Amino acid sequence: MKLIKCHIENFGKLSDFTYDFTDGCNTVCEGNGWGKSTLAAFLRVMLFGFRNEGKRDPLENERKRYSPWQKGVYGGELQFESEGKQYSVRRTFGSKSAEDEFQLRSEEHTSELQSL
């Protein structure tokens, strides 16, 4: 699998943030508190969902931990390639998993993949 692009509407402290991945190794070199760990968590959550949702402690419960600081739509979009085909996954999160929305699209079925 190859990551192509991500757009974060709101996730933790990151808001209206877009990152275009390049071939090879991608390095995000920013200062402490910028949101590097938040970006890594966003990528994992977009593909696999939140961890520890049953925990009460907001530091352990990722859904609570990464709830947007500035409010607004909680989630974003991730473009990736797998086995030569491009896909786009879009997720928005609510306060509970029952309120989440998930869309997976392949390039063949939509032209929206090229614009996040």
Side-chain angles (χ1 to χ4, degrees), residues 18-86:
T18 300
Y19 189 87
D20 292 305
F21 296 91
T22 59
D23 286 339
C25 181
N26 287 258
T27 303
V28 178
C29 186
E30 298 289 345
N32 288 342
W34 179 86
K36 299 177 298 292
S37 296
T38 301
L39 175 59
F42 173 80
L43 297 172
R44 186 183 39 73
V45 167
M46 289 300 285
L47 295 170
F48 304 108
F50 289 108
R51 291 189 293 197
N52 299 326
E53 287 194 75
K55 303 280 185 174
R56 291 183 184 251
D57 183 350
L59 293 176
E60 294 182 45
N61 182 321
E62 286 186 326
R63 182 178 297 272
K64 291 178 183 177
R65 180 178 185 181
Y66 294 110
S67 180
W69 294 11
Q70 62 285 338
K71 305 297 181 211
V73 174
Y74 185 7
E77 189 166 358
L78 177 63
Q79 258 186 338
F80 63 95
E81 182 180 305
S82 180
E83 297 182 10
K85 294 182 183 177
Q86 285 191 10

